Amino acid sequence: MMITAELYHVPLSPFCRKVRLSLAEKKIECKLIEERYWEKDTDFLRRNPAGKVPVLKLNGKVLAESAAICEYLEEIYPEPSLMPSDPMERHEVRRLVFWFDDKFQHEVTSKLLYERVNKKVTGQGFPDSKNVRAGLSAIKFHLDYMAWLLEHRRWLAGDRMTLADFAAAAHLSSLDYISDVDWNRSGAVKDWYAKVKSRPAFRNILMDQVPGFLPPEHYADLDF
Ligand SMILES: N[C@@H](CCC(=O)N[C@@H](CS)C(=O)NCC(=O)O)C(=O)O
């Protein structure tokens, strides 16, 4: 059966990027539709009453919440798999997906990306320097934690690439677009990101352009 997929998204949203990566890894072609979620369009709110992106329209079905979307994709398109089969290993993937989408989001992404980009795009004024300082300090702890994980494993959640790697790479790539990741802090994290970044599934994300924000040269460079 032919698959039809449309993703309502914004380019630098890590939640949208995680879904884009899952779709691309599973070779599901998807039409991207930019959604100005802050304008709270009624059609958009009908699709997702939470008023958040991503929203995926897949074969006529409307799906919301990035974790729920990715698990659904995994269930109906199990190959290539982004979840291990062992329950404890699945738990580790989910723990790390939440680590990035909850803790990292709260402590880093919202303090840097939202301050520097979302505020400007949505007309909410200038970055709060206190938040930016807090984000720049917190990202160091997170990079060190990733480095520690990668000392023991080939990928973040174990010896295979999983959804946890996509969740982390989605946040870090959005922050890299605004030059907020110090890749010199850990060779292990840099090598891991080089591996994820060089996957065909990542290509589309490296081509994103956000008007008013120019990415650094290394952003799309596989040999950064
Ligand atoms: N838990 C949601 C979070 C999605 C989210 O916060 N998306 C942001 C853009 S990065 C958004 O749409 N925010 C609008 C709002 O919170 O009203 C998910 O994983 O899908």
Side-chain angles (χ1 to χ4, degrees):
M1 194 185 82
M2 205 182 92
I3 303 172
T4 59
E6 291 178 335
L7 186 72
Y8 296 85
H9 83 132
V10 293
L12 292 184
S13 159
F15 306 100
C16 300
R17 286 185 163 205
K18 185 180 60 181
V19 172
R20 287 166 70 188
L21 288 169
S22 293
L23 287 164
E25 192 68 27
K26 290 176 182 295
K27 307 230 167 5
I28 301 169
E29 271 187 48
C30 179
K31 182 175 167 199
L32 294 176
I33 301 166
E34 280 199 43
E35 178 65 55
R36 295 166 71 85
Y37 58 81
W38 55 96
E39 291 178 356
K40 307 280 178 215
D41 175 72
T42 42
D43 281 340
F44 174 56
L45 290 177
R46 205 170 296 129
R47 281 184 218 106
N48 181 12
K52 296 182 188 203
V53 286
V55 172
L56 178 66
K57 214 165 160 186
L58 185 68
N59 302 326
K61 295 189 177 77
V62 178
L63 313 169
E65 272 300 323
S66 64
I69 295 172
C70 290
E71 294 247 4
Y72 179 80
L73 289 174
E74 194 60 28
E75 281 167 18
I76 58 167
Y77 303 113
E79 295 297 332
S81 166
L82 294 170
M83 284 295 267
S85 49
D86 175 75
M88 198 55 216
E89 290 175 16
R90 290 167 85 80
H91 165 270
E92 182 62 354
V93 173
R94 292 184 176 119
R95 181 183 77 82
L96 287 169
V97 170
F98 278 100
W99 177 285
F100 288 97
D101 286 350
D102 180 29
K103 189 174 170 66
F104 188 95
Q105 154 72 13
H106 200 71
E107 295 172 2
V108 181
T109 308
S110 69
K111 302 279 192 294
L112 296 175
L113 189 74
Y114 285 19
E115 288 292 336
R116 295 198 208 272
V117 179
N118 296 34
K119 266 192 172 171
K120 184 170 173 197
V121 172
T122 61
Q124 292 178 70
F126 297 99
D128 177 333
S129 57
K130 196 161 53 64
N131 283 342
V132 170
R133 270 200 307 278
L136 289 175
S137 164
I139 195 172
K140 293 181 189 162
F141 158 75
H142 285 274
L143 290 173
D144 292 349
Y145 180 57
M146 291 174 73
W148 180 81
L149 288 175
L150 291 164
E151 267 171 36
H152 302 87
R153 309 161 169 187
R154 288 181 53 226
W155 296 90
L156 287 176
D159 286 335
R160 286 183 38 217
M161 190 189 72
T162 65
L163 209 45
D165 298 289
F166 282 176
H171 283 269
L172 287 177
S173 62
S174 297
L175 292 166
D176 194 34
Y177 188 97
I178 53 167
S179 303
D180 270 338
V181 184
D182 174 9
W183 295 114
N184 292 322
R185 192 166 176 89
S186 152
V189 175
K190 189 175 177 187
D191 290 348
W192 162 84
Y193 188 59
K195 269 197 301 186
V196 188
K197 198 177 178 182
S198 61
R199 296 191 79 78
F202 225 82
R203 230 172 264 152
N204 191 262
I205 276 175
L206 298 179
M207 285 176 354
D208 279 347
Q209 293 285 338
V210 181
F213 297 90
L214 206 61
E217 263 178 36
H218 74 255
Y219 171 74
D221 186 355
L222 297 183
D223 206 13
F224 58 110

